[in-house]
Amino acid sequence: METMGFLMDGFAVALTPYNLMFALFGAFVGTLIGCLPGLGPANGVAILIPLAFTLGLPPETAMILLTSVYAGAMYGGRISSILLNIPGDEPAMMTCLDGYPMAQQGRAADALAISAIASFAGSLIGTIGLIILAPVLARFALTFGPVEYFALFLLAFATLGGITGKNPMKTVIAAALGIMISTVGIDISTGTQRYTAGVLELYEGIDFILAIVGLFAISELLFFVEARMGKGRSKVKVGKLTLSFKEIVSTIPTQLRGGVLGFIAGVLPGAGASLGSFISYTLEKSVIGKKGRFGEGDIRGVVAPEAGNNGAASGALVPMLTLGVPGSGTTAVLLAMLISLNITPGPLMFTQNADIVWGVIAALLMGNVLLLVLNIPMIGVFVRLLSVPPMYLLPIVTMVAFVGIYSISHSTFDLYFMIVFGVGGFVLRKLEIPMVPIILGLLLGPEMEKNLGHALILSDGDWMTLWSSPLAIGLWLVAGLGLVLPTLVGPLLRRRMRSAIKEGPVSD
Amino acid sequence: MTGMGDRILGLCLLVVAVAYGWVAQQWPEPFGGAEGVGPETFPTILAAVLVVGSLYLMIKPDADAKWPVGKPALELAISIVVLVVYALLLEPLGFIVSTTLAIGVLSWRMGAALGQAFLTGLISAVVVFGLFNYGLSLSLPNGLLGGF
């Protein structure tokens, strides 16, 4: 019952008019970001970080804003899936399967409405799961020493590529690059200058916020320029809402199954929202069997993946909040915000910054209600915004990102750096080097080094200490599996996902 | 030969890894002596990991990606130049002028009509400037439009 008390305190934080306003703003902007093809949740949150930072928002408000954007983006992803047959973000691609056929049959409004309800259900289940699981995991994580943390960080990197990841070696390379960038600057424990080449701006290290914005926002712009997709695509008209109450009730079991499965997929390292929606869809298909018309516009084919990916979105917050180890791109970006706010992520956050943690969780619940309310009557607004072609939108978004970065430090040096990261990110993405491990490396690098140092000091320089506790060995084993499994299972899963969808994901 | 992209990347990363690892060995021992872990320990491990990774890339490269050639490559170059010039001119020209130009050129190159592109640029520049300067009281450079 202790949890309930904390949750009530959380609501007290989230329900202040000031925070509520930012939650509403975040939910709206997030939905917008989610529904625009090419702007995924990680991207959207990354662009808003500098803004939250320069506005001087108090930590809990900043986190509430960004979590609302995150939740909103998960809602928004479905809009372009249904209307354009292009997923707004990767997790929304399963929604295309039945969402677009429904829209073609003139039931676009129904598909949008039922998917909003499914998103709500999935998110609600995921958040309840988060409330139950997070404190337990945080308490367990308190027993972790530096050795276990070091192994845990490795596990995070190893599983980041996900079971569906292509070449695990590229994940390793990306992670190494990210950690390398994080070592630039003055070493915290000894004061040695590392890789600064005497440049004053580098003494404090490379700010990961500008690296993130460069890697995501600028490289995305360059991808659009290259693909010449500026004009956008034609979309299906939204008709009248004909959804009956009976139909909504009939999908409740699907929503429950999807939400729970999604949540589990979200919590597990290396699975994430995309797999969450895929598993929910596949399971639903086999449960309903021949009675359904999956792939031709079955309403349950829209409900299952949406409940799944929103459940997974909340689930992914569990490792981020309790261990300080994010399992996905977007939660990595949220972690970046936490670190810039000088909050040490991890189990101690639940005791030291209880107001923030529970404020965020309460905001997630609130945000979901807001999103449901926003998404049903205001769907027309989002649909109209969807017809703004990217050729106007992306340059504006990029410039806002520039301004955000500029307003943090008022130095153009940072802007050049950001462009370098953007161009580098474009080249690396072309070569299929994933971006997320780079970012995670930037964020976790210093922590990893610190824990390695502590572990070795405690053991008097004996490296065997890294394998000394059963828990650490377990973590190392899972990390190893995380690298090996994709080469074995990956091709199989990828083939099944591909045969299910013709159009590949636009970005992560 | 297929997989040239990965091979070249592997070679570049190998150079980076070796240089990174070598530099790490040059640092003077910190005051008070090293206790198990010095400033160079972690970078040395990273360099080793990257060496292995880059060698793997060169030996077993993936199939090549489609690299832009001709017009798309030119468009890309233009976009990057626009971004650099924007960073360069932001302070001297001020936010509104430089942002209008940057958004205008980018939208135009992405396929918008010239006039519409710059109009979009101007409107969004003014709106963002107003929002930041007056709404959020964060000062953006005024530049040419000094007293605005």
Side-chain angles (χ1 to χ4, degrees), chain A residues 61-247:
Chain A
T61 312
M63 282 312 287
I64 286 171
L65 169 69
L66 294 183
T67 342
S68 314
V69 173
Y70 177 44
M74 285 300 187
Y75 269 71
R78 72 190 210 285
I79 299 176
S80 60
S81 295
I82 292 170
L83 296 181
L84 303 176
N85 203 19
I86 320 169
D89 48 25
E90 199 190 326
M93 62 193 179
M94 301 306 291
T95 314
C96 292
L97 295 181
D98 281 279
Y100 187 65
M102 259 183 98
Q104 281 176 318
Q105 291 155 21
R107 298 194 64 195
D110 295 357
L112 287 171
I114 193 74
S115 58
I117 296 171
S119 295
F120 174 75
S123 223
L124 194 66
I125 293 168
T127 312
I128 293 171
L130 170 70
I131 292 168
I132 297 168
L133 191 59
V136 181
L137 198 60
R139 212 164 304 140
F140 173 63
L142 281 174
T143 62
F144 281 26
V147 174
E148 284 80 10
Y149 264 109
F150 186 75
L152 183 69
F153 290 142
L154 283 180
L155 184 146
F157 285 114
T159 52
L160 202 55
I163 298 176
T164 53
K166 266 190 169 163
N167 186 345
M169 210 54 186
K170 290 194 165 169
T171 310
V172 173
I173 290 174
L177 278 176
I179 305 176
M180 280 176 156
I181 298 170
S182 82
T183 58
V184 174
I186 291 176
D187 180 26
I188 343 161
S189 54
T190 58
T192 312
Q193 275 186 40
R194 301 196 291 190
Y195 310 106
T196 54
V199 180
L200 191 64
E201 277 90 347
L202 291 179
Y203 278 27
E204 281 185 29
I206 293 171
D207 188 353
F208 44 69
I209 292 183
L210 64 95
I212 290 172
V213 176
L215 288 173
F216 278 135
I218 310 263
S219 75
E220 196 63 49
L221 174 87
L222 296 178
F223 262 94
F224 262 78
V225 170
E226 187 205 352
R228 305 202 48 78
M229 300 204 298
K231 291 267 198 290
R233 302 193 194 180
S234 58
K235 68 165 193 284
V236 179
K237 267 217 164 67
V238 182
K240 259 217 162 79
L241 196 65
T242 57
L243 199 63
S244 67
F245 186 69
K246 225 175 106 192
E247 237 175 336

Side-chain angles (χ1 to χ4, degrees), chain A residues 163-165 484-495:
Chain A
I163 298 176
T164 53
V484 176
L485 266 185
T487 38
L488 305 176
V489 191
L492 193 82
L493 258 176
R494 267 207 311 284
R495 206 171 316 128

Side-chain angles (χ1 to χ4, degrees), chain A residues 51 54-55 150 167 169-170 172-173 176-177 179-181 183 187 190 192-195 218 221-226 228 230-231 390-392 394-396 398-400 402-404 406-407 410-412 415-416 419 423 426-428 430-433 445 448-449 452-453 456-457 461 463, chain B residues 5-6 9 13 17 20-21 23-24 27 30 35-37 39 41-43 45-47 49-50 52-54 56-57 62 65-68 71-72 75-76 79-80 83-84 86-88 90-91 95 99 102-103 106-107 109-113 116-117 120 124 128 132 136 138-141:
Chain A
L51 287 183
T54 43
L55 280 176
F150 186 75
N167 186 345
M169 210 54 186
K170 290 194 165 169
V172 173
I173 290 174
L177 278 176
I179 305 176
M180 280 176 156
I181 298 170
T183 58
D187 180 26
T190 58
T192 312
Q193 275 186 40
R194 301 196 291 190
Y195 310 106
I218 310 263
L221 174 87
L222 296 178
F223 262 94
F224 262 78
V225 170
E226 187 205 352
R228 305 202 48 78
K231 291 267 198 290
M391 60 189 177
Y392 296 119
L394 272 171
I396 296 175
T398 312
M399 290 306 135
V400 171
F402 265 83
V403 173
Y406 179 82
S407 59
H410 286 270
S411 105
T412 41
L415 297 183
Y416 295 123
I419 299 170
V423 176
F426 173 78
V427 174
L428 290 178
K430 268 287 187 190
L431 291 163
E432 289 183 326
I433 302 276
M448 242 178 127
E449 180 167 17
L452 179 68
L456 287 179
I457 285 170
W463 287 82
Chain B
D6 272 10
L9 177 72
L13 289 178
Y20 181 90
V23 169
W27 294 318
E35 290 180 66
V37 190
T41 315
F42 197 53
I45 300 173
L46 290 174
V49 171
L50 195 60
V52 173
S54 56
Y56 179 90
L57 268 194
D62 289 344
K66 246 203 183 141
W67 287 93
K71 202 159 171 280
E75 297 287 350
L76 270 180
S79 313
I80 295 169
L83 295 180
V84 174
Y86 177 72
L88 203 68
L90 182 61
E91 278 173 349
F95 177 78
T99 305
I103 294 182
L106 285 176
S107 310
R109 290 319 309 165
M110 284 173 89
Q116 261 181 336
T120 313
S124 44
V128 172
F132 269 72
L136 312 176
L138 299 165
S139 58
L140 292 173

